[in-house]
Structure formats: C-alpha cells, structure tokens
Amino acid sequence: MAWNWSANKQQNPRERFAGPAAIAGLVGAGLLLLVVLYPEKSLLRLLEAPDVTSPAQQRYLEALVHLRTGDPNLVIILARSYLAAGCTEKALKALEHRQGVLSREQAKTVMQLYYEARRQQLELMLTGEPGWKRVQQDYADQIEQLKQAGATPKELVRYLADARALGDRQTVKRLETLLGTAAGQGTAPAVEAAASAALAKGDYRGAAELYFKGLQAAGLNQKRVYFLAGVRTLQSGNLLAEALTAAERHLDAGLAHDRQTLLYLTRLALAANRPDLAQKYVRRALGLSSGEPSGAATP
C-alpha cells in the first residue's frame, strides 16, 4: 500500500513552526559539543586564519571564549575575526572582556587591534558630522599609546597614511612633526620613514632635504646612502638641476673622493647635459684631480 506523504505532513501542522527553533537549539548545542570534543589546538589553527569572517566560524570562537572565560589568546583571535568582517563594535566589546595579565606580545597585539577598530570607526563617518570629533580623538589617543609603547618609524608612516585617507588633518600634522623630529635625530629608520612620508605626499624636495640632514650624524657608509638617496629623490622628481646643485653643496670631504658616489654623479651630470661637471667627477673618480669640491653648480 502506498504511503500518503501529503496526509502525513498534515497530521502535525505545529512542526512547521517548531522546526526552526528546534534546529537553532540543536545548532547551538552542536557548537558547544564540537568545542568540547574537537581538539582545541586543531580548532584554533583553523580559526586563526586572517579570512575567518563567517558567522559560523565566529560562533565557534565565541563558544571557546565562553568556555575559557576571557582567555586573551582567544579574545585576540575573535576580535581579529570581527574586524576582518567589519564588525567594529563587536570587536571592541570582545577586547573589553579579556581577562588575565597580558604578555608583552599580547599587549602589543591588543593595542594594534584597538587601533584598527578606531580606524574603522572613523572611516565610517564623514568629517565634521556629529560624533566625529569624539571618534577622531579616540583614534588619535590610540596612536599616542602605540607611540609610547615603541611604535617604529615604519609603523608611524603607516598611521600617517591612514590618517590622510581618513581626512584627519590634526593627526596628520602631529605625525608629520613627529617623524620630522625623529629624522633630525639621525637614526636610519627615522630618516627613511620621514622621507617616505614626504614622498607619499609628492614632496620630493622635502624628502631629499631629510636625507641630506641625516648626513650630519652619519658615518661614511651611511653618509653615502643618505647622499645618494637625497640626490636620487630629486632626480626621480625630474629636478635634475636641483639634484646637481644639492650634490655640489653636500659633497663634503668624506664623499669628495668616494668612487661609487662620483661615478653616480658623472652619470647624473651627463643626463642633465652638464659635460663640464661630468668631466670633473670622472677625473676625480680616476684619481686625476685632487682638492675639495668646488662651489655650487650652476643649473
């Protein structure tokens, strides 16, 4: 005898309404069971991937955080997942619920996650709209915390680029000043970072000047790097005459007989249609002339 499927469906009309709730309960229980039974390390390896953004994957993480209340490592993974999915407020709440003492590496990671959350908050707002100033201040304060915690010049340049993209002129100005001061201290990472920040704005002259300022406190090898970087920066901006003038001005006794430097300047002088300077540089590179470099070149 054939089974009447349609009749069977009509015998329990409540199932159509109880079904979704029952399924949701089973899914929730299943997640907790999975967390309990599945090897935690294997699960974490799966969930630490930067593209973990699906709601189901986040549920696994939430269940883990629930079982290991406030575990910093799990909170970090969950917050990173929220941020990757653009769930900024969820990420901030997750970070607030961490417990225990953070290691140095964990503390740095948490600060960077807070930075990304503040950046996302500001990105979603129009400059000057109600609430923008408060969010901008939170963003600026987070950068200040990162700076005090030892942010590298390279990281500061990234924050500067972010601030420009966000239209946060106040933070841009402060970071430009900070990078310029750091460059004045002559450390190689600071000089390179400040020059990169200037180039990001298309300021070839400013970037070159930062390299030339670094010459004052540098040894011979670093001095050559700064000198050539400054001249090349002007050249890359199609400022050949200025590059030659700057080269003559900054070619001190330490570099005046440096073969590598002189050969580069020879090629630069030829490119700028200055055979007189090219002849002078190549003769000095070959040891055919001596003495201090002459005065500034005439463009």
Side-chain angles (χ1 to χ4, degrees), residues 210-231:
L210 287 166
Y211 283 123
F212 292 138
K213 283 182 180 178
L215 293 170
Q216 300 171 5
L220 179 59
N221 288 336
Q222 191 61 49
K223 186 175 290 189
R224 180 194 299 115
V225 171
Y226 286 159
F227 177 85
L228 292 177
V231 175

PDB file of all heavy atoms in Angstrom, residues 210-231:
ATOM      1  N   LEU A 210      65.446  65.812   3.988  1.00  0.00           N
ATOM      2  CA  LEU A 210      65.539  64.940   5.163  1.00  0.00           C
ATOM      3  C   LEU A 210      66.741  64.015   5.059  1.00  0.00           C
ATOM      4  O   LEU A 210      67.441  63.767   6.043  1.00  0.00           O
ATOM      5  CB  LEU A 210      64.245  64.123   5.305  1.00  0.00           C
ATOM      6  CG  LEU A 210      63.024  64.919   5.777  1.00  0.00           C
ATOM      7  CD1 LEU A 210      61.744  64.118   5.559  1.00  0.00           C
ATOM      8  CD2 LEU A 210      63.172  65.291   7.246  1.00  0.00           C
ATOM      9  N   TYR A 211      66.990  63.495   3.858  1.00  0.00           N
ATOM     10  CA  TYR A 211      68.176  62.655   3.667  1.00  0.00           C
ATOM     11  C   TYR A 211      69.450  63.477   3.885  1.00  0.00           C
ATOM     12  O   TYR A 211      70.390  63.010   4.544  1.00  0.00           O
ATOM     13  CB  TYR A 211      68.180  62.048   2.268  1.00  0.00           C
ATOM     14  CG  TYR A 211      67.250  60.878   2.091  1.00  0.00           C
ATOM     15  CD1 TYR A 211      66.254  60.896   1.115  1.00  0.00           C
ATOM     16  CD2 TYR A 211      67.381  59.736   2.880  1.00  0.00           C
ATOM     17  CE1 TYR A 211      65.400  59.811   0.943  1.00  0.00           C
ATOM     18  CE2 TYR A 211      66.531  58.649   2.704  1.00  0.00           C
ATOM     19  CZ  TYR A 211      65.546  58.703   1.738  1.00  0.00           C
ATOM     20  OH  TYR A 211      64.715  57.621   1.575  1.00  0.00           O
ATOM     21  N   PHE A 212      69.482  64.674   3.362  1.00  0.00           N
ATOM     22  CA  PHE A 212      70.692  65.493   3.497  1.00  0.00           C
ATOM     23  C   PHE A 212      70.933  65.902   4.949  1.00  0.00           C
ATOM     24  O   PHE A 212      72.083  65.995   5.391  1.00  0.00           O
ATOM     25  CB  PHE A 212      70.595  66.733   2.604  1.00  0.00           C
ATOM     26  CG  PHE A 212      70.625  66.421   1.126  1.00  0.00           C
ATOM     27  CD1 PHE A 212      69.778  67.063   0.235  1.00  0.00           C
ATOM     28  CD2 PHE A 212      71.512  65.478   0.624  1.00  0.00           C
ATOM     29  CE1 PHE A 212      69.805  66.771  -1.125  1.00  0.00           C
ATOM     30  CE2 PHE A 212      71.546  65.169  -0.737  1.00  0.00           C
ATOM     31  CZ  PHE A 212      70.694  65.823  -1.614  1.00  0.00           C
ATOM     32  N   LYS A 213      69.860  66.116   5.709  1.00  0.00           N
ATOM     33  CA  LYS A 213      70.037  66.427   7.129  1.00  0.00           C
ATOM     34  C   LYS A 213      70.650  65.250   7.878  1.00  0.00           C
ATOM     35  O   LYS A 213      71.389  65.441   8.844  1.00  0.00           O
ATOM     36  CB  LYS A 213      68.680  66.786   7.751  1.00  0.00           C
ATOM     37  CG  LYS A 213      68.188  68.179   7.413  1.00  0.00           C
ATOM     38  CD  LYS A 213      66.861  68.462   8.119  1.00  0.00           C
ATOM     39  CE  LYS A 213      66.370  69.862   7.791  1.00  0.00           C
ATOM     40  NZ  LYS A 213      65.048  70.133   8.437  1.00  0.00           N
ATOM     41  N   GLY A 214      70.340  64.045   7.420  1.00  0.00           N
ATOM     42  CA  GLY A 214      70.889  62.857   8.069  1.00  0.00           C
ATOM     43  C   GLY A 214      72.385  62.708   7.892  1.00  0.00           C
ATOM     44  O   GLY A 214      73.027  61.935   8.609  1.00  0.00           O
ATOM     45  N   LEU A 215      72.969  63.448   6.948  1.00  0.00           N
ATOM     46  CA  LEU A 215      74.411  63.361   6.709  1.00  0.00           C
ATOM     47  C   LEU A 215      75.221  63.808   7.916  1.00  0.00           C
ATOM     48  O   LEU A 215      76.328  63.317   8.152  1.00  0.00           O
ATOM     49  CB  LEU A 215      74.797  64.238   5.508  1.00  0.00           C
ATOM     50  CG  LEU A 215      74.289  63.825   4.132  1.00  0.00           C
ATOM     51  CD1 LEU A 215      74.565  64.921   3.115  1.00  0.00           C
ATOM     52  CD2 LEU A 215      74.938  62.522   3.694  1.00  0.00           C
ATOM     53  N   GLN A 216      74.686  64.712   8.699  1.00  0.00           N
ATOM     54  CA  GLN A 216      75.453  65.353   9.762  1.00  0.00           C
ATOM     55  C   GLN A 216      75.937  64.378  10.815  1.00  0.00           C
ATOM     56  O   GLN A 216      77.052  64.521  11.323  1.00  0.00           O
ATOM     57  CB  GLN A 216      74.593  66.451  10.414  1.00  0.00           C
ATOM     58  CG  GLN A 216      74.159  67.532   9.429  1.00  0.00           C
ATOM     59  CD  GLN A 216      73.147  68.485  10.040  1.00  0.00           C
ATOM     60  OE1 GLN A 216      72.846  68.401  11.222  1.00  0.00           O
ATOM     61  NE2 GLN A 216      72.619  69.392   9.226  1.00  0.00           N
ATOM     62  N   ALA A 217      75.116  63.384  11.164  1.00  0.00           N
ATOM     63  CA  ALA A 217      75.481  62.475  12.250  1.00  0.00           C
ATOM     64  C   ALA A 217      75.812  61.070  11.757  1.00  0.00           C
ATOM     65  O   ALA A 217      75.838  60.131  12.546  1.00  0.00           O
ATOM     66  CB  ALA A 217      74.338  62.410  13.261  1.00  0.00           C
ATOM     67  N   ALA A 218      76.088  60.907  10.459  1.00  0.00           N
ATOM     68  CA  ALA A 218      76.297  59.574   9.886  1.00  0.00           C
ATOM     69  C   ALA A 218      77.772  59.282   9.647  1.00  0.00           C
ATOM     70  O   ALA A 218      78.568  60.187   9.417  1.00  0.00           O
ATOM     71  CB  ALA A 218      75.523  59.461   8.574  1.00  0.00           C
ATOM     72  N   GLY A 219      78.094  57.984   9.705  1.00  0.00           N
ATOM     73  CA  GLY A 219      79.421  57.545   9.316  1.00  0.00           C
ATOM     74  C   GLY A 219      79.528  57.515   7.803  1.00  0.00           C
ATOM     75  O   GLY A 219      78.539  57.770   7.100  1.00  0.00           O
ATOM     76  N   LEU A 220      80.720  57.165   7.281  1.00  0.00           N
ATOM     77  CA  LEU A 220      80.957  57.253   5.844  1.00  0.00           C
ATOM     78  C   LEU A 220      79.968  56.405   5.040  1.00  0.00           C
ATOM     79  O   LEU A 220      79.384  56.883   4.067  1.00  0.00           O
ATOM     80  CB  LEU A 220      82.391  56.843   5.505  1.00  0.00           C
ATOM     81  CG  LEU A 220      82.738  56.866   4.011  1.00  0.00           C
ATOM     82  CD1 LEU A 220      82.532  58.268   3.442  1.00  0.00           C
ATOM     83  CD2 LEU A 220      84.162  56.382   3.775  1.00  0.00           C
ATOM     84  N   ASN A 221      79.774  55.132   5.440  1.00  0.00           N
ATOM     85  CA  ASN A 221      78.887  54.260   4.662  1.00  0.00           C
ATOM     86  C   ASN A 221      77.450  54.765   4.681  1.00  0.00           C
ATOM     87  O   ASN A 221      76.789  54.824   3.637  1.00  0.00           O
ATOM     88  CB  ASN A 221      78.945  52.834   5.210  1.00  0.00           C
ATOM     89  CG  ASN A 221      80.264  52.147   4.891  1.00  0.00           C
ATOM     90  OD1 ASN A 221      80.938  52.513   3.930  1.00  0.00           O
ATOM     91  ND2 ASN A 221      80.639  51.166   5.698  1.00  0.00           N
ATOM     92  N   GLN A 222      76.969  55.152   5.873  1.00  0.00           N
ATOM     93  CA  GLN A 222      75.602  55.667   5.952  1.00  0.00           C
ATOM     94  C   GLN A 222      75.488  57.017   5.266  1.00  0.00           C
ATOM     95  O   GLN A 222      74.452  57.345   4.678  1.00  0.00           O
ATOM     96  CB  GLN A 222      75.169  55.785   7.420  1.00  0.00           C
ATOM     97  CG  GLN A 222      73.689  56.059   7.613  1.00  0.00           C
ATOM     98  CD  GLN A 222      72.812  54.954   7.044  1.00  0.00           C
ATOM     99  OE1 GLN A 222      73.034  53.767   7.303  1.00  0.00           O
ATOM    100  NE2 GLN A 222      71.810  55.326   6.266  1.00  0.00           N
ATOM    101  N   LYS A 223      76.572  57.793   5.324  1.00  0.00           N
ATOM    102  CA  LYS A 223      76.572  59.101   4.662  1.00  0.00           C
ATOM    103  C   LYS A 223      76.394  58.933   3.159  1.00  0.00           C
ATOM    104  O   LYS A 223      75.656  59.685   2.513  1.00  0.00           O
ATOM    105  CB  LYS A 223      77.875  59.831   4.977  1.00  0.00           C
ATOM    106  CG  LYS A 223      77.928  61.258   4.457  1.00  0.00           C
ATOM    107  CD  LYS A 223      79.205  61.950   4.922  1.00  0.00           C
ATOM    108  CE  LYS A 223      79.180  62.216   6.415  1.00  0.00           C
ATOM    109  NZ  LYS A 223      80.318  63.078   6.838  1.00  0.00           N
ATOM    110  N   ARG A 224      77.074  57.943   2.594  1.00  0.00           N
ATOM    111  CA  ARG A 224      76.925  57.683   1.158  1.00  0.00           C
ATOM    112  C   ARG A 224      75.481  57.317   0.824  1.00  0.00           C
ATOM    113  O   ARG A 224      74.923  57.787  -0.168  1.00  0.00           O
ATOM    114  CB  ARG A 224      77.858  56.544   0.731  1.00  0.00           C
ATOM    115  CG  ARG A 224      77.759  56.223  -0.765  1.00  0.00           C
ATOM    116  CD  ARG A 224      78.419  54.907  -1.128  1.00  0.00           C
ATOM    117  NE  ARG A 224      79.818  54.898  -0.825  1.00  0.00           N
ATOM    118  CZ  ARG A 224      80.387  54.100   0.091  1.00  0.00           C
ATOM    119  NH1 ARG A 224      79.629  53.259   0.781  1.00  0.00           N
ATOM    120  NH2 ARG A 224      81.682  54.151   0.301  1.00  0.00           N
ATOM    121  N   VAL A 225      74.876  56.467   1.680  1.00  0.00           N
ATOM    122  CA  VAL A 225      73.479  56.047   1.457  1.00  0.00           C
ATOM    123  C   VAL A 225      72.553  57.258   1.469  1.00  0.00           C
ATOM    124  O   VAL A 225      71.706  57.425   0.577  1.00  0.00           O
ATOM    125  CB  VAL A 225      73.054  55.029   2.535  1.00  0.00           C
ATOM    126  CG1 VAL A 225      71.552  54.753   2.444  1.00  0.00           C
ATOM    127  CG2 VAL A 225      73.835  53.727   2.384  1.00  0.00           C
ATOM    128  N   TYR A 226      72.705  58.134   2.470  1.00  0.00           N
ATOM    129  CA  TYR A 226      71.852  59.316   2.573  1.00  0.00           C
ATOM    130  C   TYR A 226      72.071  60.269   1.400  1.00  0.00           C
ATOM    131  O   TYR A 226      71.116  60.813   0.831  1.00  0.00           O
ATOM    132  CB  TYR A 226      72.123  60.066   3.872  1.00  0.00           C
ATOM    133  CG  TYR A 226      71.583  59.406   5.118  1.00  0.00           C
ATOM    134  CD1 TYR A 226      72.107  59.718   6.369  1.00  0.00           C
ATOM    135  CD2 TYR A 226      70.534  58.488   5.067  1.00  0.00           C
ATOM    136  CE1 TYR A 226      71.616  59.138   7.523  1.00  0.00           C
ATOM    137  CE2 TYR A 226      70.052  57.902   6.212  1.00  0.00           C
ATOM    138  CZ  TYR A 226      70.593  58.223   7.445  1.00  0.00           C
ATOM    139  OH  TYR A 226      70.097  57.658   8.579  1.00  0.00           O
ATOM    140  N   PHE A 227      73.336  60.478   1.069  1.00  0.00           N
ATOM    141  CA  PHE A 227      73.660  61.421  -0.004  1.00  0.00           C
ATOM    142  C   PHE A 227      73.040  60.968  -1.320  1.00  0.00           C
ATOM    143  O   PHE A 227      72.357  61.742  -2.005  1.00  0.00           O
ATOM    144  CB  PHE A 227      75.175  61.542  -0.142  1.00  0.00           C
ATOM    145  CG  PHE A 227      75.620  62.437  -1.253  1.00  0.00           C
ATOM    146  CD1 PHE A 227      75.737  63.808  -1.062  1.00  0.00           C
ATOM    147  CD2 PHE A 227      75.927  61.920  -2.509  1.00  0.00           C
ATOM    148  CE1 PHE A 227      76.141  64.646  -2.093  1.00  0.00           C
ATOM    149  CE2 PHE A 227      76.338  62.748  -3.543  1.00  0.00           C
ATOM    150  CZ  PHE A 227      76.443  64.115  -3.330  1.00  0.00           C
ATOM    151  N   LEU A 228      73.278  59.707  -1.677  1.00  0.00           N
ATOM    152  CA  LEU A 228      72.751  59.204  -2.941  1.00  0.00           C
ATOM    153  C   LEU A 228      71.226  59.159  -2.924  1.00  0.00           C
ATOM    154  O   LEU A 228      70.581  59.439  -3.937  1.00  0.00           O
ATOM    155  CB  LEU A 228      73.321  57.812  -3.229  1.00  0.00           C
ATOM    156  CG  LEU A 228      74.824  57.767  -3.537  1.00  0.00           C
ATOM    157  CD1 LEU A 228      75.289  56.327  -3.727  1.00  0.00           C
ATOM    158  CD2 LEU A 228      75.143  58.593  -4.788  1.00  0.00           C
ATOM    159  N   ALA A 229      70.644  58.819  -1.768  1.00  0.00           N
ATOM    160  CA  ALA A 229      69.181  58.789  -1.670  1.00  0.00           C
ATOM    161  C   ALA A 229      68.597  60.179  -1.889  1.00  0.00           C
ATOM    162  O   ALA A 229      67.581  60.343  -2.578  1.00  0.00           O
ATOM    163  CB  ALA A 229      68.761  58.241  -0.312  1.00  0.00           C
ATOM    164  N   GLY A 230      69.249  61.201  -1.316  1.00  0.00           N
ATOM    165  CA  GLY A 230      68.768  62.568  -1.492  1.00  0.00           C
ATOM    166  C   GLY A 230      68.850  63.023  -2.935  1.00  0.00           C
ATOM    167  O   GLY A 230      67.897  63.607  -3.477  1.00  0.00           O
ATOM    168  N   VAL A 231      69.968  62.747  -3.584  1.00  0.00           N
ATOM    169  CA  VAL A 231      70.149  63.158  -4.978  1.00  0.00           C
ATOM    170  C   VAL A 231      69.197  62.386  -5.887  1.00  0.00           C
ATOM    171  O   VAL A 231      68.564  62.961  -6.787  1.00  0.00           O
ATOM    172  CB  VAL A 231      71.615  62.939  -5.413  1.00  0.00           C
ATOM    173  CG1 VAL A 231      71.791  63.249  -6.891  1.00  0.00           C
ATOM    174  CG2 VAL A 231      72.555  63.816  -4.586  1.00  0.00           C
TER     175      VAL A 231
END
